[in-house]
């Protein structure tokens, strides 16, 4: 990655100022790894836009992830309110557990969600610009503009976007949902903006295997960058060269 | 050009059968609208479409109609741009049908949107990186250009500009179909699409399906008046359509051969051509046999290429083949599972690694049929109020064939005479 | 010529009809009785808000709230500019009705947001925010308990 020159920019330094109340509280509730949590999710002053100095990313250590654990899925569903209608073909699954079986029978378990590509095919094809990549690398759907054409779902190689097929009965205040629009993992943007870890990462640390690391890919001192530098990581369908924000360890 | 062509209104002399047919079309249109309203109210889960097959039958109808729209202008282009004088009297009909087909296709497309009420957003917010957004401009531009073209064809003082307008329309529709093909060609995630070849494939397809749609309308008008089209003209249209039908088959074969040459894509070819259940059946029977080989024989064979009945049969088959082709292109391509981990076995909550199932339901089929009915309705209203069809074509067999073949053609609908006020010099 | 004359007759008839309908409608709208009642729709009653004051004075909010929301929507969704006091959730938190209208029955979204709904139906402007946004007051899962 080409982040060396961004390393000691004033913006970056400013971001690492004393953390706001929100992050402090989150830090208290997450007993293990308090220090690391704070180092990974610097807050941004209220009223300032997301900065392209930051590239939010997630690292999945598939060596830790277990087939029988779905703490991340449950946490995401509760946080964002996408429980379905028991219709697997049309229900949303912002995050799902996948099992990959090698030819030799070895199995790998991993969560699959929006990969937050730097070159997102979904955003390229969206006719109205409803799907877009925020400056800090999060791929979002601006549902005020989504007309429900589903072209983005045709374009996404990961099958992680979902069309709301039915009227929504109850919804989370964290995430507006409406019939006829497309949705997907937003990296818990409402939490990130308050300096709190995404719900799946938090849950994986508390109730799961600690297989998820969240942080700034542009900051070489962040935990995620150090883990990638030390052990390496790869994108799913790296051949498509989409420069994903979600990376995996232990795939090959 | 050389001889004066007099144009007529259709449906004036015998209004009852004309308006009955129009009423039937209107009822189907209303049924389609009702289906769309139902889908918009309760949500798309009542359709066969789902999160795996996100585009279904409505898109098959919409894309086929849009392709045919561009191709329906063929006869006009051949007359105006390529100087085939015997085709020129049919240019008006050709242009009007192109507009009707495009409106029908776009209506289906728009009514299938998750938020059709937000159509205005699609008109006010453009992501110019999206080929879809480009298509919105291409479609509206096509309507405007064909409208101007029709004006130059129908207004005597504008007639001097008809070649220019026809040339612009010709160029525009090639670009338009390139855009439509690129909707699929630019999707790197779906292995069934092959990038650049989608544009020429869709251009050839549009020329074939559009000519077929035009032939059906033209032959229906002739038949309703008990007239017979000149053999020379029938032969010309047959030959043109036959070449396009063969071009589609050729490009399709090249497309699959290209995929076969890419080792990682053998599986998708096997799925589409052999193992994908209804998909290979639709492709081989619907597209290749019914929509390709049989009509090609009818269109090229010396015994049938000059016959109206054979042309009508071939046109129907080509259109069936068109729907089959687009069905395989849209639904088949999505049925093949996305390869997140190529070469490895996967399982997951969104049917990972498994071929997606898709069974269309009544509402979406009704919506699609409503689109076709809308095309028919628009065309009929245009025929009734605009002087689109020539009263007599150059070289049209007039008196002696009727006398020579007493019951060859249905004479019951032959009473429709041109209205004097509608004739143009 | 005959055709033309017939055309004019139709146009004249259509124009006359339109004028007649317009005159009748205006007359009905301005008949004394109607004017005194200031319209057939009762002036909306608005539930009292929870908080002390809004982000702007009432007059500004009444005229500009849609523009304020629209601007904030664009800033927050697309640029990530967070101003919690301008969130739609902040409006809901302050303005939503809490007490049940009928004892022991949960409030419908419309009853809960009578503040928005009453005025919107009075002015015949459709209100579709809550087709997607939550109409539930109270803290968002990670908001409110921060301070």
């Amino acid at each position: 990655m080409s982040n060396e020159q961004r390393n000691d920019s004033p913006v970056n330094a400013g971001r690492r100022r004393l953390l706001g109340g929100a992050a402090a509280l989150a830090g208290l509730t997450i007993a293990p790894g308090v220090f690391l949590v704070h180092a990974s999710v610097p807050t941004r002053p209220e009223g300032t836009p997301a900065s392209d100095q930051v590239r939010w990313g997630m690292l999945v250590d598939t060596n830790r992830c277990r087939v029988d654990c779905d703490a991340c899925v449950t946490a995401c569903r509760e946080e964002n309110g996408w429980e379905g209608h028991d219709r697997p073909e049309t229900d949303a699954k912002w995050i799902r557990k996948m099992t990959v079986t090698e030819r030799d029978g070895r199995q790998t378990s991993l969560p699959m969600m929006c990969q937050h590509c730097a070159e997102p095919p979904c955003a390229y094809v969206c006719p109205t610009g409803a799907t877009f990549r925020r400056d800090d690398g999060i791929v979002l759907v601006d549902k005020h503009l989504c007309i429900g054409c589903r072209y983005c779902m045709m374009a996404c190689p990961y099958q992680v976007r979902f069309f709301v097929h039915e009227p929504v009965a109850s919804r989370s205040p964290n995430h507006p949902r409406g019939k006829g629009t497309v949705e997907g993992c937003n990296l818990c943007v409402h939490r990130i903006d308050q300096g709190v870890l995404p719900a799946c990462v938090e849950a994986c640390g508390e109730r799961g295997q600690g297989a998820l690391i969240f942080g700034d890919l542009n900051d070489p001192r962040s935990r995620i960058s150090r883990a990638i530098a030390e052990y390496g990581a790869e994108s799913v369908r790296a051949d498509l060269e989409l420069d994903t924000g979600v990376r995996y360890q232990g795939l090959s | 050009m050389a001889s004066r062509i007099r144009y007529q209104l259709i449906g004036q002399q015998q209004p009852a059968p004309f308006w009955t047919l129009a009423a039937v079309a209107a009822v189907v249109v209303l049924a389609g609208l009702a289906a769309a309203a139902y889908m918009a109210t309760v949500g798309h889960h009542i359709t066969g479409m789902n999160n795996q097959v996100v585009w279904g039958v409505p898109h098959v109808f919409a894309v086929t109609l849009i392709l045919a729209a561009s191709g329906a202008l063929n006869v006009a282009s051949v007359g105006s741009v390529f100087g085939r004088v015997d085709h020129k009297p049919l240019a008006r009909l050709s242009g009007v049908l192109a507009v009707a087909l495009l409106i029908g296709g776009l209506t289906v497309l728009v009514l299938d949107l998750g938020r059709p009420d937000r159509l205005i957003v699609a008109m006010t917010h453009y992501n110019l990186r999206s080929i879809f957004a480009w298509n919105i401009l291409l479609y509206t531009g096509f309507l405007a250009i064909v409208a101007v073209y029709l004006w130059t064809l129908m207004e005597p003082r504008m007639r001097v500009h008809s070649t220019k307008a026809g040339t612009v329309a010709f160029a525009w529709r090639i670009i338009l179909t390139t855009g439509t093909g690129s909707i699929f060609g630019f999707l790197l995630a779906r292995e069934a699409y092959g990038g650049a070849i989608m544009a020429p494939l869709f251009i050839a397809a549009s020329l074939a399906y559009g000519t077929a749609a035009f032939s059906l309308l033209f032959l229906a008008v002739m038949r309703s008046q008990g007239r017979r089209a000149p053999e020379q003209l029938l032969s010309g249209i047959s030959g043109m359509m036959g070449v396009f039908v063969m071009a589609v088959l050729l490009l399709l074969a090249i497309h699959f051969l290209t995929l076969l040459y890419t080792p990682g894509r053998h599986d998708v070819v096997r799925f589409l051509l052999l193992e994908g259940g209804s998909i290979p059946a639709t492709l081989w029977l619907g597209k290749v046999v019914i929509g390709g080989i049989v009509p090609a024989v009818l269109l090229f064979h010396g015994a049938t290429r000059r016959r109206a009945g054979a042309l009508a049969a071939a046109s129907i088959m080509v259109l069936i083949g068109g729907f089959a082709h687009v069905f395989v292109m849209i639904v088949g391509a999505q049925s093949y599972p996305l390869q997140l981990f190529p070469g490895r076995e996967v399982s997951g909550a969104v049917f990972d690694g498994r071929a997606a199932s898709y069974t269309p339901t009544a509402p979406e089929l009704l919506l699609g049929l409503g689109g076709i009915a809308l095309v028919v309705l628009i065309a009929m209203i245009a025929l009734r109020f605009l002087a689109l069809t020539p009263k007599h074509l150059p070289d049209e067999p007039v008196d002696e064939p009727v006398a020579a073949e007493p019951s060859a053609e249905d004479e019951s609908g032959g009473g429709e005479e041109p209205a004097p006020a509608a004739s143009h010099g | 010529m005959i055709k033309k004359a017939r055309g004019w007759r139709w146009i004249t008839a259509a124009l006359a009809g339109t004028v007649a309908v317009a005159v009748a409608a205006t007359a009905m709208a301005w008949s004394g009785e109607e004017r005194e009642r200031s319209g057939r729709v009762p002036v909306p009653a608005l539930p009292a808000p929870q908080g002390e004051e809004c982000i702007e004075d009432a007059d500004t909010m009444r005229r500009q709230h849609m523009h304020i929301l629209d601007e904030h929507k664009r800033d927050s969704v697309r640029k990530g500019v967070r101003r919690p006091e301008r969130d739609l959730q902040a409006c809901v938190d302050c303005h939503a009705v809490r007490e049940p209208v009928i004892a022991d029955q949960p409030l419908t979204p419309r009853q809960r947001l009578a503040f928005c709904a009453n005025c919107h139906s009075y002015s015949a402007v459709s209100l579709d925010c809550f087709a997607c946004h939550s109409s539930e007051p109270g803290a968002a899962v990670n908001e409110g308990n921060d301070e």
Side-chain angles (χ1 to χ4, degrees):
Chain A
M1 267 167 292
S2 58
N3 345 315
E4 287 78 16
Q5 80 283 3
R6 290 166 174 166
N7 204 359
D8 293 313
S9 69
V11 179
N12 234 14
R15 246 187 18 247
R16 282 190 218 95
R17 82 207 199 298
L18 271 179
L19 296 164
L25 186 92
L28 288 175
T29 58
I30 304 165
V34 172
F35 176 77
L36 291 170
V37 168
H38 284 188
S40 312
V41 193
T43 48
R44 185 155 40 82
E46 216 167 75
T48 57
S51 156
D52 62 3
Q53 305 289 310
V54 179
R55 168 96 198 270
W56 294 124
M58 196 187 292
L59 181 64
V60 181
D61 185 350
T62 61
N63 298 312
R64 287 169 177 260
C65 185
R66 285 173 40 169
V67 179
D68 57 357
C69 173
D70 65 351
C72 53
V73 179
T74 312
C76 177
R77 191 167 53 225
E78 280 166 11
E79 178 74 18
N80 295 298
W82 46 263
E83 63 280 338
H85 303 80
D86 260 336
R87 286 190 263 269
E89 291 186 332
T90 49
D91 283 347
K93 310 241 169 22
W94 288 20
I95 180 170
R96 67 182 186 269
K97 286 299 297 292
M98 279 183 81
T99 305
V100 183
T101 311
E102 305 290 333
R103 290 206 175 88
D104 59 9
R106 190 168 55 90
Q107 288 199 324
T108 312
S109 178
L110 53 88
M112 180 53 60
M113 74 298 266
C114 174
Q115 302 287 294
H116 297 282
C117 309
E119 312 275 352
C122 53
Y124 287 3
V125 303
C126 177
T128 64
T131 294
F132 67 104
R133 183 176 172 275
R134 208 171 78 161
D135 279 348
D136 53 5
I138 306 174
V139 176
L140 295 171
V141 183
D142 182 348
K143 285 172 197 169
H144 306 101
L145 294 184
C146 177
I147 57 174
C149 74
R150 286 105 82 202
Y151 195 20
C152 54
M153 299 172 71
M154 290 288 285
C156 173
Y158 301 104
Q159 212 177 338
V160 289
R161 301 204 132 215
F162 299 90
F163 182 64
V164 183
H165 282 80
E166 303 181 53
V168 179
S170 65
R171 46 181 67 81
S172 158
N174 297 320
H175 194 88
R177 297 182 71 214
K179 171 173 70 66
T181 55
V182 172
E183 58 183 14
C185 160
N186 56 20
L187 222 50
C188 280
V189 64
H190 61 288
R191 292 169 63 109
I192 294 174
D193 284 350
Q194 293 173 53
V196 183
L197 286 172
C200 57
V201 180
E202 187 183 281
C204 189
E206 287 177 354
R207 301 192 293 280
Q209 320 302 319
L212 301 179
I213 303 175
F214 173 84
D216 181 3
L217 293 168
N218 278 353
D219 177 1
R221 279 171 294 184
S222 69
R223 188 177 159 212
I224 186 171
S225 293
R226 283 186 283 121
I228 290 174
E230 197 168 344
Y231 301 109
E234 58 183 306
S235 298
V236 173
R237 286 304 299 268
D239 57 315
L240 298 176
E241 297 186 23
L242 301 174
D243 188 5
T244 58
V246 179
R247 317 266 172 90
Y248 293 80
Q249 285 179 335
L251 270 188
S252 44
Chain B
M1 303 277 267
S3 61
R4 280 156 54 97
I5 305 287
R6 295 173 73 83
Y7 289 87
Q8 59 178 342
L9 305 181
I10 304 290
Q12 261 191 334
Q13 294 301 313
Q14 287 201 321
F18 181 87
W19 289 115
T20 307
L21 182 57
V24 170
V27 167
V28 181
V29 170
L30 286 176
L33 287 176
Y38 179 54
M39 280 163 63
T41 311
V42 303
H44 274 64
H45 75 98
I46 51 111
T47 71
M49 291 177 277
N50 52 50
N51 282 323
Q52 286 68 240
V53 179
V54 301
W55 284 355
V57 154
H59 304 80
V60 173
F61 277 83
V63 170
T64 311
L65 290 177
I66 289 167
L67 285 178
S70 154
L73 210 57
N74 260 341
V75 172
S77 296
V78 167
S80 288
V81 183
F82 300 107
R84 280 287 297 265
V85 177
D86 59 337
H87 285 55
K88 203 159 183 189
L90 301 175
R92 299 176 177 188
L93 188 63
S94 169
V96 164
L97 179 63
V99 169
L101 283 164
L102 191 65
I103 293 175
L106 289 180
T107 305
V108 175
L109 200 61
V110 164
L111 290 179
D112 175 75
L113 291 176
R115 294 293 304 258
D117 54 316
R118 283 187 182 163
L119 184 60
I120 189 72
V121 174
M123 301 290 173
T124 52
H125 291 76
Y126 287 105
N127 169 23
L128 287 181
R129 213 167 183 174
S130 165
I131 190 70
F132 227 44
W134 278 90
N135 273 288
I136 297 170
L137 300 173
L138 291 172
Y139 296 150
T140 43
F142 182 80
L143 291 175
I145 287 170
V146 175
V148 171
Y149 180 34
L150 282 170
W151 183 40
T152 66
L153 289 170
M154 299 179 71
E155 167 60 52
R157 282 170 300 174
M158 293 297 293
R159 200 157 292 168
V160 288
H161 302 295
S162 71
T163 306
K164 272 174 274 175
T167 308
V168 173
F170 175 73
W172 192 271
R173 73 194 177 90
I174 297 296
I175 298 169
L176 181 145
T177 322
T178 303
T180 311
S182 302
I183 288 176
F184 303 98
F186 290 0
L187 294 176
L188 81 168
R190 305 281 173 177
E191 310 209 353
Y193 302 129
I197 200 168
M198 285 294 130
L201 176 61
F202 273 57
I203 290 172
S206 91
L207 297 173
Y209 310 155
T211 309
F214 173 83
S215 304
L216 281 180
L217 180 63
F218 168 59
L219 293 173
V221 168
M222 297 297 279
R223 191 182 164 82
S224 77
Q225 298 182 326
R227 294 162 59 194
R228 297 201 320 165
E231 288 196 347
Q232 196 61 32
L233 186 65
L234 288 177
S235 169
I237 295 175
S238 292
M240 183 163 71
M241 189 161 37
V243 168
F244 297 145
V245 168
M246 293 313 289
V248 179
L249 285 183
L250 175 68
L251 285 166
L252 211 52
I254 295 174
H255 170 51
F256 282 118
L257 284 172
T258 313
L259 289 181
L260 270 177
Y261 235 80
T262 317
R265 304 230 163 154
H266 290 175
D267 286 345
V268 70
V269 177
R270 198 179 306 132
F271 178 83
L272 293 174
L273 296 187
L274 298 171
E275 292 166 1
S278 60
I279 303 298
T282 310
L283 182 66
W284 287 110
L285 188 67
K287 175 64 201 169
V288 177
V289 178
I290 297 175
I293 296 168
V294 177
V297 169
L298 286 176
L299 294 169
F300 284 131
H301 197 278
T304 46
R305 67 177 297 168
R306 287 160 204 282
R307 295 181 59 117
L311 179 58
S315 299
I316 290 170
M317 283 190 277
V318 167
L319 284 176
I320 291 172
F323 281 102
H325 172 208
V326 177
F327 184 86
V328 171
M329 279 286 142
I330 292 181
V331 176
Q334 297 172 86
S335 301
Y336 183 71
L338 286 166
Q339 303 293 305
L340 270 66
F341 299 94
R344 291 184 247 185
E345 207 165 283
V346 294
S347 63
V350 297
F351 305 90
D352 295 278
R354 285 156 59 186
S357 65
Y358 171 68
T359 314
T361 61
E364 51 193 321
L365 285 167
L366 262 184
L367 173 60
L369 290 175
I372 294 181
L374 182 60
V375 175
V376 173
L377 191 61
I378 293 173
M380 288 187 78
I381 290 172
L383 280 168
R384 173 63 185 76
F385 293 105
L386 297 172
L388 299 177
T389 48
K391 196 176 162 189
H392 289 292
L393 288 161
D395 304 326
E396 180 177 338
V398 197
D399 296 317
E400 62 281 11
V402 177
E405 294 178 79
S407 59
E409 290 284 358
D410 178 17
E411 281 179 292
S412 61
E416 288 173 0
E417 288 300 317
S423 302
H424 287 254
Chain C
M1 288 319 260
I2 295 163
K3 230 181 141 70
K4 253 184 195 165
R6 199 186 299 151
W8 276 112
R9 207 181 305 152
W10 278 108
I11 291 169
T12 315
L15 275 177
T18 313
V19 169
V21 169
V23 167
T26 317
M28 277 163 69
W30 285 93
S31 68
E33 192 189 52
E34 289 292 331
R35 196 166 52 231
E36 275 155 36
R37 287 203 281 141
S38 81
R40 277 159 291 182
V41 184
V43 175
L46 301 181
Q50 305 280 315
E52 290 293 309
E53 57 175 5
C54 202
I55 52 170
E56 299 280 349
D57 60 90
D59 220 38
T60 309
M61 289 311 289
R62 213 168 281 145
R63 286 180 172 78
Q64 303 290 336
H65 68 277
M66 66 299 270
H67 304 302
I68 294 171
L69 281 168
D70 187 48
E71 191 188 343
H72 176 62
K73 167 187 92 183
R74 248 173 285 157
D75 278 1
S76 61
V77 175
R78 301 195 77 93
K79 296 187 198 136
V81 179
R82 298 286 180 172
R83 290 193 184 92
E85 76 282 2
R86 290 183 170 227
D87 277 350
L88 191 62
Q89 189 64 44
C91 308
V92 172
D93 290 346
C94 189
H95 286 290
V97 174
R98 261 88 167 167
E99 307 79 30
V101 175
I102 304 163
D104 299 330
Q105 280 201 12
L107 289 163
T108 66
R110 206 199 140 85
Q111 288 169 336
R112 187 175 283 125
L113 290 174
F115 183 86
C116 308
N118 290 1
C119 212
H120 269 256
S121 68
Y122 177 72
S123 48
V125 177
S126 75
L127 171 67
D128 65 353
C129 302
F130 303 102
C132 301
H133 283 269
S134 170
S135 57
E136 299 261 353
V141 173
N142 293 290
E143 274 176 15
N145 51 2
D146 294 350
E147 257 83 273

